[in-house]
């Protein structure tokens, strides 16, 4: 099921951080396209987050600093058009309302923090992996988790494709997003017992899982869901 948009109007202005993140991801992706296959592979091996490189010989302060830098850079790198366009679509559909609730600065912190937690979750599940872990999926998964708890009743306009059968349906967020999470959780758990398959599969399932779980936690820590103070008439005491 591919989300097209949600029926959930914003209360405030345009989602400036969502737009800026999409622009930044686009610039990085266009840069990747200019490198060519050989140079791109060298660039990703040098710049992207690789769990095995960080965890192979234990952790030092230098390793942690380098790991954090590569983790944040990896959030803006993608492995192809489908990877890039899919991530940007999900960010656009779900990110604006989370930013609308939290505000620009807190939303940006949630996005980056969820992406970092997602990277750590991937490293925990695949500590010896030599593959670069790239993509905004972990950070966007955090946005999805926050959206679920902020707007569970919002309806997601979705295109359902089953072979030649195509239909547009509206699915409530409390159905769509847990179903999406289940599609990450099941193969993620299966990959724990199959390290070879996990090494070859190319999908960082636990980055999605970790980011999704981190999203609502970060939202609460950042003040999401709290009622605004009453602005009605006050009684003089």
């Amino acid at each position: 099921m591919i989300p097209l948009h949600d029926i959930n109007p914003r209360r405030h202005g345009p989602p400036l951080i969502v737009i800026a993140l999409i622009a930044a991801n686009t610039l990085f992706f266009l840069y990747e396209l200019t490198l060519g296959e050989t140079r791109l592979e060298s660039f990703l091996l040098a710049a992207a987050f690789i769990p095995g490189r960080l965890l192979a010989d234990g952790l030092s302060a230098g390793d942690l600093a380098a790991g954090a830098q590569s983790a944040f850079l990896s959030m803006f790198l993608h492995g192809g058009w489908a990877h890039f366009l899919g991530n940007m679509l999900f960010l656009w559909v779900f990110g604006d309302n989370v930013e609308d609730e939290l505000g620009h600065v807190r939303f940006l912190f949630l996005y980056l923090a969820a992406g970092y937690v997602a990277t750590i979750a991937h490293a925990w599940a695949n500590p010896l992996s030599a593959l670069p872990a790239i993509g905004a999926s972990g950070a966007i998964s955090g946005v999805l988790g926050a959206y679920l708890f902020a707007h569970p009743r919002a309806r997601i306009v979705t295109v359902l494709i089953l072979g030649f059968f195509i239909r547009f349906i509206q699915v409530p967020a409390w159905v769509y997003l847990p179903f999406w999470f289940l599609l990450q959780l099941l193969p993620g758990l299966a990959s724990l017992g199959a390290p070879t398959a996990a090494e070859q599969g190319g999908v960082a399932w636990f980055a999605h899982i970790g980011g999704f779980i981190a999203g609502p936690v970060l939202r609460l820590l950042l003040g999401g869901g709290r009622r605004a103070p009453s602005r009605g008439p006050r009684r003089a005491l």
Side-chain angles (χ1 to χ4, degrees), residues 84-170:
F84 167 72
L85 292 176
N87 276 344
M88 295 306 100
L89 174 62
F90 272 78
L91 178 56
W92 178 251
V93 171
F94 295 101
D96 64 330
N97 292 110
V98 179
E99 181 177 349
D100 193 59
E101 180 196 24
L102 294 178
H104 306 313
V105 175
R106 289 185 295 169
F107 173 76
L108 178 60
F109 181 86
L110 181 145
Y111 181 91
L112 295 176
Y116 185 71
V117 171
T119 302
I120 298 303
H122 170 67
W124 171 81
N126 303 275
L128 302 180
S129 174
L131 294 179
I134 59 175
S137 304
I140 296 170
S141 297
V143 174
L144 301 187
Y147 187 103
L148 172 61
F149 283 82
H151 307 283
R153 297 183 180 180
R155 305 193 74 80
I156 314 301
V157 178
T158 304
V159 57
L160 179 64
I161 303 175
L162 296 173
F164 294 103
F165 176 80
I166 300 177
R167 185 174 181 180
F168 297 93
I169 59 175
Q170 294 183 17

Side-chain angles (χ1 to χ4, degrees), residues 18-41:
V18 168
I19 294 171
L21 288 170
I22 291 175
N25 277 279
T26 301
L27 290 175
F28 272 98
F29 185 64
L30 292 177
Y31 172 71
E32 290 180 63
L33 294 179
T34 67
L35 294 178
E37 185 175 348
T38 302
R39 292 174 59 202
L40 176 60
E41 182 177 356

